[in-house]
Amino acid sequence: RAIAPFARSAAWRSAVVHRLRQDGVAANASQFGDRAFWESRYTAGRAPREWFLSAGAAADSAAAALLSHRRSGLSAADSPLRCLHLGCGTSNLGGAICDALESEHRLAATVTNVDYSPAAIDVAARRADPRQSYHVWDVTDGSQPPAPPHGSAYDLLLDKGTLDAVLFCGEAPLLGYLAALRRLLAGDGGGGG
């Protein structure tokens, strides 16, 4: 609930709306939380592939944060790391995090990319990358996510813009999103069950 007041702040909304208009994504902020808006953008090929920052910059930052959080360090024995990319859209972040972990830290990774848009998943899944899988899943609806490969829980959750859209959807989807993150971080949302 601490995020909801921030989402209602004029400064935050103004910054997001400015970015939407700059990228030619939406004329007004109300569209940003509308599932039909995003589905139509993905279907027409007009949704941005990357949002706010490049996939490489986001991946480098996520890899550094993961390694800093795991103070004991990670080794090849911990591989492959299991990453869940929430609201992947058509982003290249999944491949970029695999590349960053492999080239910079000699760690293998698999990425489960999820989005509520079947059109986005269809476009993104055309990439022939065996390190990645693609699934339609709505992080806000309380359903179980796809099970992580090679283990019982995800090691890393990635979100590069989904929360921004969810904040425009109202309180119920936001609370659903936060509940999903809580389950995933506690190891209770790894799918399967």
Side-chain angles (χ1 to χ4, degrees):
R1 291 189 182 246
I3 294 176
F6 174 68
R8 292 185 193 112
S9 76
W12 177 81
R13 284 191 180 267
S14 176
V16 171
V17 169
H18 173 74
R19 184 59 190 237
L20 289 168
R21 289 184 179 141
Q22 182 181 7
D23 289 348
V25 175
N28 67 60
S30 66
Q31 294 175 314
F32 197 41
D34 181 10
R35 182 184 297 229
F37 168 77
W38 286 108
E39 190 67 15
S40 70
R41 300 294 286 196
Y42 289 124
T43 300
R46 293 190 329 252
R49 180 170 298 242
E50 302 304 334
W51 189 248
F52 291 119
L53 70 159
S54 72
D60 291 344
S61 177
L66 174 65
L67 294 170
S68 139
H69 179 70
R70 298 279 298 262
R71 289 179 182 89
S72 62
L74 295 168
S75 69
D78 296 308
S79 290
L81 296 175
R82 295 163 304 272
C83 306
L84 179 63
H85 182 191
L86 301 159
C88 65
T90 57
S91 174
N92 291 318
L93 181 55
I97 191 69
C98 290
D99 293 345
L101 288 167
E102 289 171 11
S103 65
E104 297 294 321
H105 308 287
R106 302 189 193 286
L107 295 167
T110 60
V111 177
T112 302
N113 295 282
V114 297
D115 200 286
Y116 69 16
S117 168
I121 292 298
D122 181 56
V123 170
R126 293 180 191 153
R127 298 182 192 114
D129 186 343
R131 305 170 299 179
Q132 298 185 69
S133 64
Y134 297 87
H135 306 272
V136 174
W137 179 58
D138 184 348
V139 66
T140 68
D141 71 4
S143 63
Q144 287 283 23
H150 315 295
S152 61
Y154 289 102
D155 300 301
L156 178 64
L157 304 179
L158 298 167
D159 177 342
K160 191 166 73 81
T162 300
L163 179 58
D164 296 311
V166 171
L167 288 169
F168 281 98
C169 294
E171 189 169 334
L174 174 60
L175 293 176
Y177 176 90
L178 295 173
L181 290 185
R182 185 177 190 180
R183 285 192 319 271
L184 288 160
L185 292 171
D188 297 334

